[in-house]
Amino acid sequence: MLNRRILRIKTFKTLFSYALTRDGENPVSLKEAERHLEESCEATRDLYIFLLAIVPELCAATRNRLDTLKGKLHPTEEEANPNYKFADNSIAAVIASDPDFRKAFQARKFSWSQYDILVRNICASMFTKDYYRNYLECGTSSPEEDCKVLCKVFEEEFVDNAEIESLMEDMNLWWYDDLAYALACCCDTFRSLAGGGCWTMPPLYRSEILKSKGRDGITSDHDFMIKVFEKAYGGYGRYFDLIADAAKSWERDRLVSTDVCLMVCCLAEVEAFPQTAPVISVNEYVEISRFYSTPKSTAFVNGILNTLACNK
């Protein structure tokens, strides 16, 4: 499920939490930091399960809405003859009836019932969109069409949705930044179910699916993540000094903490896996900096890392 890009992000964010406490009276210990890192990984899979479970809820809310409109005293022609195509979505039916999925959902003590207003708001928004009307008007009915509309719902209704973002932040501190990735994983599941597959709990790490070694010779993505983090944690002071010396025009206390942690993780990865070309690691962290650092940070991070990691 989790690929190395998101594992690098989680490693960087956990190191950043350590860096904030490093000079205080109670710095985060390595054991505690690793526990937080692994919890953040598991939280992404929890979010995936929580989001997947909204699909049957959306279909049920759609049916209730159509039934209510149909029962009006003077319904329009469209309201009197509602189109239940989305309410009968075949992918939603597979998810709702799968015992393994229900067990996984209930084991986490999740529920969408308390968020019924949010579900109804998403349905109301769907009803106004062209993608939804086009789906209803399409002459064909197939799992593939049902899959496409669900992917579109997640794209149109969940991304940049303030209500969803607020809910994610309230429910789990790890979830906020994982929303887009978890939504993409849900869409992968829709495609699998549309192809006749059954729902199975996705392995937490992508390497558990691929069963192949990466360029660094490490088969386990978990081992990759832990090795990078332990080296970054243990060598933070040394890496910081290297970065500060390379950034000659910057005073040490003016270095942005997010930039420093990104570069520390990269340098740790380069040292931990010397068989991998440094430019590969550098490019990964430079790309991550586009989302987690200041607008001018990308060029700065790229310059320092190329000096320290690629020009040895």
Side-chain angles (χ1 to χ4, degrees):
M1 182 174 181
L2 302 179
N3 60 31
R4 292 204 175 178
R5 167 67 63 80
I6 197 168
L7 293 179
R8 288 182 174 99
I9 292 172
K10 289 180 177 295
T11 300
F12 144 68
K13 291 171 68 176
T14 305
L15 185 69
F16 179 72
S17 298
Y18 157 70
L20 292 178
T21 67
R22 182 170 176 266
D23 296 325
E25 294 182 0
N26 298 299
V28 176
S29 68
L30 175 60
K31 183 177 180 180
E32 184 180 7
E34 287 186 343
R35 178 173 60 81
H36 290 164
L37 179 55
E38 296 195 346
E39 284 177 358
S40 75
C41 292
E42 189 62 55
T44 306
R45 184 162 58 180
D46 291 344
L47 176 57
Y48 154 82
I49 290 172
F50 183 64
L51 291 171
L52 203 61
I54 199 177
V55 173
E57 299 291 334
L58 288 172
C59 293
T62 298
R63 182 177 299 279
N64 290 338
R65 181 183 176 93
L66 294 174
D67 288 344
T68 299
L69 294 173
K70 185 178 180 180
K72 288 170 56 178
L73 185 59
H74 300 292
T76 64
E77 178 67 24
E78 182 179 355
E79 292 169 344
N81 298 281
N83 187 330
Y84 288 100
K85 184 177 180 180
F86 185 85
D88 293 329
N89 188 285
S90 61
I91 304 298
V94 171
I95 295 171
S97 63
D98 190 285
D100 291 333
F101 179 76
R102 290 203 306 272
K103 182 178 179 180
F105 185 75
Q106 292 167 359
R108 288 160 172 78
K109 296 180 170 57
F110 290 152
S111 172
W112 274 103
S113 60
Q114 58 189 308
Y115 308 113
D116 57 323
I117 295 176
L118 172 60
V119 174
R120 291 200 300 270
N121 287 344
I122 293 173
C123 286
S125 179
M126 280 167 38
F127 277 40
T128 68
K129 302 293 179 62
D130 288 340
Y131 76 82
Y132 179 77
R133 288 191 288 266
N134 292 338
Y135 166 74
L136 295 183
E137 294 168 2
C138 178
T140 61
S141 182
S142 66
E144 289 73 23
E145 291 296 323
D146 290 344
C147 167
K148 288 179 183 177
V149 75
L150 291 179
C151 290
K152 201 67 178 175
V153 168
F154 274 26
E155 175 187 343
E156 295 282 339
E157 312 302 339
F158 286 74
V159 177
D160 296 327
N161 183 318
E163 281 188 282
I164 290 287
E165 292 173 355
S166 177
L167 173 60
M168 299 299 101
E169 193 170 9
D170 288 345
M171 288 190 66
N172 191 311
L173 291 175
W174 305 114
W175 279 5
Y176 182 78
D177 281 347
D178 285 351
L179 179 59
Y181 192 82
L183 290 172
C185 291
C186 288
C187 291
D188 288 341
T189 294
F190 299 152
R191 297 183 188 100
S192 173
L193 296 179
C198 298
W199 183 84
T200 56
M201 177 72 81
L204 187 54
Y205 300 100
R206 186 66 60 90
S207 60
E208 297 175 42
I209 302 173
L210 301 177
K211 301 294 184 183
S212 61
K213 291 184 178 181
R215 296 186 185 94
D216 45 42
I218 297 292
T219 301
S220 167
D221 286 340
H222 172 268
D223 291 350
F224 167 85
M225 175 183 72
I226 294 298
K227 189 170 184 178
V228 171
F229 182 76
E230 289 181 346
K231 199 163 190 66
Y233 180 100
Y236 185 90
R238 177 171 61 88
Y239 292 129
F240 183 92
D241 289 341
L242 289 172
I243 293 165
D245 289 344
K248 297 178 181 178
S249 59
W250 290 82
E251 296 179 11
R252 295 169 69 96
D253 59 359
R254 291 184 60 211
L255 291 171
V256 178
S257 297
T258 50
D259 293 350
V260 171
C261 289
L262 280 168
M263 291 186 282
V264 168
C265 286
C266 183
L267 295 175
E269 183 175 319
V270 169
E271 282 195 4
F273 303 105
Q275 62 271 55
T276 302
V279 68
I280 294 174
S281 300
V282 169
N283 288 343
E284 282 290 322
Y285 287 96
V286 169
E287 190 61 30
I288 293 170
S289 75
R290 300 182 191 279
F291 300 95
Y292 290 93
S293 293
T294 64
K296 295 182 180 180
S297 289
T298 299
F300 175 71
V301 169
N302 185 52
I304 297 296
L305 287 180
N306 271 285
T307 298
L308 295 176
C310 298
N311 296 329
K312 292 183 178 181

